[in-house]
């Protein structure tokens, strides 16, 4: 008696077996209805002749009148040794199974090779992604370096604007000075007119001094002409100043446009920088995804290796059992007595052979 092999009960509806048993499967089910039978089923793998014997199946049931009853059934199991014909029949199956296992092993090796190739390709992709990240970092550094000169240019433009403002202020001061000069000339003209009027009065009053007055008048006319020329010259200078002022305004407008353009360029650079940051973030997420895929591939490779080890173990066990059976057959064949005189090999001059008929 080897004790309990498998049990199932209402409190534990899952079949439990011995930990050191070589069962292939053990399953069962309990039912409270007549339409569905309760059962427990056990199957062995690599069964041995020592496991022959009587097996008992016991069940505790509750009848319709709530009376407990125990049912017992004996099942004799005889495990006979395989014959040579059995081995001959099994050998082709084992060979086919071995071929299938070899094909599976080759297929798994090929899959492992492809997985390694995929891993290498993904590693190359990761390296290229890292190179791309390095290039993007260099581009960002270049953009940062370009921002420095742009800031310097903006600063120089601001300084030029301040200089132009000062120049315009000085031009305004010069214009005010010219206005004062023009006002002074106007005052002089009024004074000259008054003098001319007084001279005219003096000419009318003093006819004797007419010639002198005429000379003075001519002299005054010449002075007035000179003053007029100076006024015209001042007008030309004022027009020139106005043109210079307009030119400065145009230059200021151009500088303002350049400043606005630089602002737009800076905004564009900022947008490109944000876009590059987003791209770098996406690349980082892709790298993390690729790393996770590589981890999953490594897990699959480890699972395949474990399956291969299990297959190799099963094949070794089957081959060991097969070799043991062949060895047993060879021993049995050697122990069989010869049935014909032709089958006797002896070094003696005379041997006694008992034939099937009983003669010697």
């Amino acid at each position: 008696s080897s004790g309990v092999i498998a049990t199932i009960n209402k409190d534990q509806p899952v079949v439990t077996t011995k930990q050191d048993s070589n069962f292939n499967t053990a399953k069962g089910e309990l039912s409270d209805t007549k339409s569905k039978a309760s059962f427990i089923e056990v199957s062995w793998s690599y069964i041995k002749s020592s496991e022959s014997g009587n097996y008992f199946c016991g069940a505790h049931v509750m009848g319709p009148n709530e009376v407990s009853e125990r049912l017992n059934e004996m099942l004799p199991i005889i495990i006979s040794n395989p014959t040579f014909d059995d081995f001959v029949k099994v050998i082709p199956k084992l060979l086919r199974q071995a071929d299938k296992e070899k094909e599976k092993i080759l297929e798994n090796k090929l899959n492992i090779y492809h997985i390694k190739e995929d891993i290498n390709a993904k590693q190359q992709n990761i390296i290229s992604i890292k190179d791309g990240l390095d290039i993007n970092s260099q581009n960002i550094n270049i953009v940062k370096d370009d921002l420095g000169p742009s800031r310097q240019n903006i600063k120089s433009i601001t300084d030029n604007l301040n200089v132009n403002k000062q120049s315009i202020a000085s031009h305004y001061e010069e214009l005010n000075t010219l206005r004062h000069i023009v006002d002074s000339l106007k005052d002089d003209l009024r004074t000259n007119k008054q003098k001319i009027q007084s001279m005219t009065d003096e000419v009318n009053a003093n006819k004797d001094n007419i010639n002198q007055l005429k000379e003075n008048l001519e002299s005054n006319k010449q002075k007035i002409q000179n003053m007029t020329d100076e006024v015209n010259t001042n007008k030309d200078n004022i027009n020139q100043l106005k043109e210079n002022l307009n030119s400065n305004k145009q230059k200021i407008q151009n500088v303002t446009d350049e400043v606005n353009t630089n602002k737009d360029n800076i905004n564009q650079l900022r947008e490109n920088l944000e876009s590059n940051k987003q791209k770098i973030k996406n690349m980082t997420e892709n790298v993390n995804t690729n790393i996770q895929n590589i981890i999953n591939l490594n897990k699959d490779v480890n699972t395949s290796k474990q399956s291969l080890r299990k297959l190799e173990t099963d094949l070794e066990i089957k081959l060991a059992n097969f070799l043991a059976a062949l060895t047993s057959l060879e021993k049995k064949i050697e122990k069989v007595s010869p049935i014909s005189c032709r089958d006797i090999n002896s070094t003696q001059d005379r041997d006694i052979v008992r034939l099937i008929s009983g003669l010697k």
Side-chain angles (χ1 to χ4, degrees):
S1 173
S2 58
V4 178
I5 295 175
T7 60
I8 185 172
N9 55 60
K10 188 175 182 180
D11 295 330
Q12 189 175 3
V14 179
V15 177
T16 58
T17 60
K18 291 168 58 178
Q19 296 295 327
D20 56 347
S21 62
N22 58 343
F23 297 134
N24 188 13
T25 58
K27 59 183 179 179
E29 186 177 353
L30 294 176
S31 176
D32 294 333
T33 61
K34 293 182 179 180
S35 60
K36 192 174 184 181
S38 300
F39 72 95
I40 185 169
E41 181 180 307
V42 178
S43 62
W44 285 265
S45 61
Y46 311 119
I47 193 167
K48 297 177 289 185
S49 59
S50 60
E51 292 175 330
S52 298
N54 294 324
Y55 289 82
F56 294 90
C57 180
H60 292 276
V61 297
M62 184 70 70
N65 53 358
E66 295 185 356
V67 176
S68 177
E69 184 179 359
R70 178 177 175 82
L71 302 177
N72 292 314
E73 186 71 24
M74 184 181 70
L75 178 65
I77 296 177
I78 299 173
I79 301 169
S80 59
N81 291 323
T83 63
F84 183 76
D85 292 334
D86 293 332
F87 282 111
V88 171
K89 292 177 182 178
V90 171
I91 286 172
K93 294 181 180 179
L94 290 175
L95 291 175
R96 285 195 298 271
Q97 188 174 358
D99 292 335
K100 289 181 181 179
E101 297 296 335
K102 287 180 181 179
E103 290 177 358
K104 288 182 180 179
I105 291 170
L106 291 174
E107 185 178 355
N108 288 327
K109 287 182 179 179
L110 185 61
N111 290 331
I112 291 169
Y113 175 76
H114 289 309
I115 289 169
K116 288 181 179 179
E117 291 292 329
D118 291 337
I119 291 171
N120 292 329
K122 289 182 179 179
Q123 286 178 350
Q124 292 295 326
N125 290 331
I126 291 170
I127 291 170
S128 63
I129 289 169
K130 288 182 179 178
D131 294 336
L133 289 174
D134 293 335
I135 292 170
N136 286 329
S137 298
Q138 292 176 0
N139 291 331
I140 290 169
N141 292 327
I142 291 169
V143 170
K144 288 181 179 178
D145 294 335
D146 291 337
L147 285 174
S150 297
R151 290 175 181 172
Q152 190 65 32
N153 291 330
I154 292 169
K155 185 177 179 181
S156 63
I157 290 168
T158 304
D159 295 336
N160 291 328
L161 284 173
N162 293 327
V163 172
N164 288 327
K165 286 180 181 178
Q166 292 176 359
S167 177
I168 290 167
S170 64
H171 287 311
Y172 277 124
E173 291 177 357
E174 290 178 359
L175 284 173
N176 291 326
T177 303
L178 290 173
R179 285 176 183 174
H180 290 304
I181 292 170
V182 170
D183 292 335
S184 177
L185 290 173
K186 287 180 180 180
D187 292 335
D188 291 338
L189 285 173
R190 291 191 190 96
T191 303
N192 289 325
K193 285 180 180 180
Q194 290 175 359
K195 287 180 180 180
I196 292 168
Q197 185 63 37
S198 64
M199 286 179 182
T200 303
D201 294 337
E202 287 178 0
V203 167
N204 292 326
N206 299 307
K207 292 181 179 179
D208 295 334
N209 296 323
I210 290 173
N211 293 325
Q212 185 66 35
L213 290 173
K214 285 182 179 179
E215 292 177 358
N216 292 330
L217 183 60
E218 291 295 331
S219 176
N220 287 327
K221 284 182 178 179
Q222 186 64 37
K223 289 180 181 179
I224 291 168
Q225 184 63 40
N226 292 331
M227 289 179 182
T228 303
D229 293 337
E230 288 180 359
V231 169
N232 292 327
T233 301
N234 288 327
K235 286 182 179 180
D236 293 335
N237 291 329
I238 290 169
N239 291 326
Q240 185 66 34
L241 288 172
K242 287 181 179 179
E243 291 177 357
N244 292 331
L245 183 61
N246 291 326
S247 176
N248 287 327
K249 286 182 179 179
Q250 186 63 38
K251 289 180 180 179
I252 291 168
Q253 184 64 36
N254 293 332
V255 170
T256 303
D257 294 337
E258 289 180 359
V259 170
N260 292 327
T261 302
N262 288 326
K263 286 182 179 179
D264 293 335
N265 291 331
I266 291 169
N267 292 328
Q268 185 65 34
L269 288 172
R270 287 177 180 173
E271 291 176 358
N272 292 332
L273 185 60
E274 292 296 329
S275 177
N276 287 328
K277 287 181 180 179
Q278 186 63 34
K279 289 180 180 178
I280 291 169
K281 184 178 179 181
N282 293 332
M283 288 180 180
T284 304
E285 291 176 356
N286 291 329
V287 168
N288 292 329
T289 302
N290 289 327
I291 291 171
Q292 187 63 37
N293 291 331
I294 290 169
I295 292 170
N296 293 329
L297 287 172
N298 288 329
K299 290 181 180 178
D300 294 337
V301 169
N302 292 328
T303 303
S304 298
K305 287 181 179 179
Q306 291 176 359
S307 299
L308 287 174
R309 292 193 191 100
K310 185 176 180 181
L311 288 172
E312 289 176 357
T313 304
D314 293 339
L315 283 174
E316 288 175 357
I317 293 171
K318 290 179 180 179
L319 289 174
N321 292 332
F322 179 66
L323 290 174
L326 286 177
T327 304
S328 177
L329 279 176
E330 288 176 356
K331 290 179 180 179
K332 288 181 179 181
I333 291 169
E334 289 175 357
K335 291 179 181 180
V336 175
S337 300
I339 59 175
S340 174
C341 293
R342 295 186 182 89
D343 296 331
I344 297 173
N345 293 320
S346 177
T347 58
Q348 302 294 329
D349 293 336
R350 183 181 179 186
D351 285 326
I352 297 173
V353 178
R354 185 180 296 276
L355 301 177
I356 297 174
S357 60
L359 299 177
K360 294 184 180 180

